[in-house]
Amino acid sequence: MTTREQNDFLALTGPGTPMGSLFRRYWIPALLACEIPEPDSPPVRVKLMSERLLAFRDTNGRVGLIDEFCAHRGVSLWFGRNEEDGLRCPYHGWKYVVSGQCTEVPSEPVESGFCQKIKLKSYPCVELGDVIWAYMGPAELQPPLPGFEWARVAAAHRFVSKRTQDCNWLQAMEGGIDSVHVSFLHRHDLRSDPLHVGQGAEFTRETDARFEVVETAGGMVIGVRRPATPGNLYWRITQWIMPFHTMIPPYGDNALNGHAFVPIDDETCMSWCFTHHPMRPLSDHELGVMRNGGGIHVNLIPGTFRPVVNKDNDYMIDRIAQKQHKSYCGVKGIAMQDAAIQESMGPIQDRTKENLVSTDNGVIMARIRLRKAALAAQRGEAPDGLDPATHAVRSAAIVLPAAASFYEAAADALRATAGVAHTSV
Ligand code: FES
Ligand SMILES: [Fe+2]
């Protein structure tokens, strides 16, 4: 049983918390590159793990991620003027560059050197795969850049979106590795969503699912098998990569999908959604579906990353569709079904009250792995999942003879190899 202490240990990620310190050892998806599209474009507020920050692109195209608030008297630099290689506070004109260094305090004589003593907190950023990643940990421990296949393929092979979710990161991430819920929560969408059709979708509707979890260097693979053709089993194999990346098993020739569940604060997270095809550019049809909230992506309120369907409108639940077996839970769209169910657990799920069963094995093992990693990081050890080679993996959907070990039989399918198609039925 989970105690309150264990629940908090895993859920809370603010500065100084064990899990927050662990997360700060990794590169974190912070914002979409297109949010600050060009030099001197308007700055953007970014909240990460309870820290309020501001992202901007300076006149030379360099990206800065600095404390949101001016060191003078605390004005939000979101109102700032982004010009001449820095961000100027609109209240009294103090100016900051991407490193957070203050370079001008107009009220003080230049000779005083006052501005040199002022520096805002700032974090290194890198642009990779249409995403600006931030590193918020100790400078001497900065890891190599991420090696996820979706971030490394040509831009035309990839579609990235993000949406806010009104719940703690952990219950969202746990939904990503709970492959069994697909047979229930999403069962009717497996026939109607154009990016989820295929033979595998029919097998997935089978509710007799068994779990096998194998630990890997960077996380774990979760194999879920269901009866397929006589003598064979249909395996859906999910990847979990520390600390919050998941890769969803594909259907047919559809692209691969994955998520990252990044804490905004303890009661809100950003669900990043990554779709990519290793072999070909995404088609206009696929892009059209995703831009219209299909697949794992959702429609957003214009100018925000908040879904149109959200808890304030009861997720526009359609009780008639639910009754008529058109939607298992009555919420439209796979992504919003997940979000609605996860948010319904409350801002931070109270795990002291849950009753876990054998199909929760992936969830249980991820919690153990995260706790161990946070404790090891406290002792100064490097956590798993920092090596980019551990990111270069794929999910898979495969039919195997009943006697086969899924992890051995699917070994090639689980590696991201450039020029080799993913394995999907
Ligand atoms: S508060 Fe920013 S310059 Fe005064
Ligand atoms: Fe789901």
Side-chain angles (χ1 to χ4, degrees):
M1 210 193 75
T2 305
T3 63
R4 188 156 304 280
E5 180 276 329
Q6 288 165 339
N7 203 25
D8 287 350
F9 187 100
L10 292 171
L12 309 185
T13 60
T17 58
M19 201 51 57
S21 303
L22 174 68
F23 278 27
R24 284 166 175 77
R25 298 290 302 275
Y26 298 86
W27 285 101
I28 309 272
L31 68 160
L32 290 162
C34 63
E35 290 178 68
I36 44 174
E38 56 196 23
D40 292 339
S41 50
V44 173
R45 297 183 193 97
V46 178
K47 194 173 182 194
L48 283 175
M49 297 185 282
S50 304
E51 294 187 49
R52 288 184 63 173
L53 305 167
L54 197 73
F56 69 104
R57 200 184 288 273
D58 75 6
T59 314
N60 277 298
R62 285 176 297 223
V63 174
L65 184 64
I66 64 173
D67 194 328
E68 182 186 336
F69 303 101
C70 180
H72 179 209
R73 275 165 50 208
V75 162
S76 171
L77 294 168
W78 180 77
F79 293 100
R81 304 180 58 85
N82 188 8
E83 60 191 11
E84 296 161 351
D85 260 328
L87 198 60
R88 195 183 283 281
C89 178
Y91 209 12
H92 315 96
W94 292 28
K95 182 165 180 188
Y96 303 92
V97 293
V98 290
S99 66
Q101 180 62 51
C102 180
T103 53
E104 250 185 85
V105 174
S107 62
E108 304 302 303
V110 178
E111 318 79 77
S112 74
F114 176 77
C115 70
Q116 285 151 26
K117 291 183 225 140
I118 307 289
K119 191 171 188 291
L120 292 177
K121 173 170 76 181
S122 82
Y123 295 120
C125 291
V126 63
E127 212 169 317
L128 184 69
D130 304 329
V131 173
I132 293 172
W133 305 68
Y135 175 69
M136 298 167 69
E140 68 282 7
L141 297 177
Q142 184 175 314
L145 298 184
F148 296 95
E149 185 177 50
W150 63 260
R152 300 285 182 171
V153 293
H157 290 222
R158 162 177 69 232
F159 182 79
V160 180
S161 73
K162 65 172 198 176
R163 60 182 161 81
T164 55
Q165 202 166 310
D166 290 336
C167 70
N168 181 259
W169 76 278
L170 183 60
Q171 65 216 52
M173 193 278 280
E174 290 180 347
I177 54 177
D178 166 19
S179 198
V180 166
H181 79 269
V182 180
S183 310
F184 299 92
L185 184 64
H186 307 312
R187 64 183 290 113
H188 299 304
D189 302 82
L190 296 176
R191 284 213 173 117
S192 58
D193 188 292
L195 302 189
H196 283 82
V197 289
Q199 190 192 23
E202 287 308 311
F203 296 143
T204 307
R205 291 164 59 82
E206 172 64 61
T207 53
D208 177 19
R210 305 287 159 86
F211 250 71
E212 280 183 40
V213 184
V214 179
E215 296 218 48
T216 60
M220 59 192 195
V221 290
I222 301 124
V224 177
R225 63 179 166 86
R226 295 176 172 86
T229 47
N232 293 307
L233 295 170
Y234 170 65
W235 285 91
R236 294 186 57 73
I237 309 173
T238 301
Q239 294 272 2
W240 172 66
I241 299 129
M242 293 206 26
F244 46 54
H245 299 270
T246 61
M247 296 179 188
I248 307 163
Y251 294 96
D253 182 46
N254 292 305
L256 289 159
N257 287 307
H259 290 292
F261 300 98
V262 177
I264 296 171
D265 52 34
D266 291 332
E267 300 191 347
T268 329
C269 69
M270 190 65 79
S271 291
W272 286 83
C273 310
F274 311 111
T275 298
H276 82 282
H277 201 294
M279 301 300 282
R280 60 166 173 82
L282 299 175
S283 67
D284 289 344
H285 169 68
E286 287 168 321
L287 291 169
V289 169
M290 291 187 282
R291 289 193 182 115
N292 282 301
I296 62 164
H297 305 271
V298 307
N299 285 318
L300 301 171
I301 297 171
T304 76
F305 292 99
R306 183 168 169 78
V308 170
V309 172
N310 59 53
K311 72 172 183 207
D312 295 340
N313 52 35
D314 272 336
Y315 308 94
M316 302 186 186
I317 194 163
D318 183 344
R319 294 293 188 186
I320 295 170
Q322 188 176 28
K323 202 155 223 130
Q324 294 177 343
H325 302 278
K326 290 184 184 141
S327 166
Y328 197 75
C329 77
V331 174
K332 196 163 182 281
I334 288 173
M336 285 319 300
Q337 288 161 4
D338 285 324
I341 256 55
Q342 291 155 9
E343 290 177 1
S344 77
M345 299 164 161
I348 302 178
Q349 188 206 338
D350 181 357
R351 293 178 176 77
T352 65
K353 292 184 178 158
E354 68 188 2
N355 294 283
L356 300 176
V357 292
S358 63
T359 53
D360 295 314
N361 243 346
V363 167
I364 294 166
M365 285 175 71
R367 291 180 191 172
I368 293 171
R369 189 84 181 264
L370 284 165
R371 186 177 171 92
K372 265 195 202 156
L375 292 171
Q378 280 178 342
R379 294 192 299 268
E381 293 163 29
D384 296 331
L386 293 181
D387 179 356
T390 62
H391 310 158
V393 295
R394 287 179 185 159
S395 56
I398 189 169
V399 174
L400 294 170
S405 139
F406 91 91
Y407 190 59
E408 281 165 27
D412 286 340
L414 296 175
R415 258 192 298 276
T417 310
V420 175
H422 57 288
T423 303
S424 178
V425 293

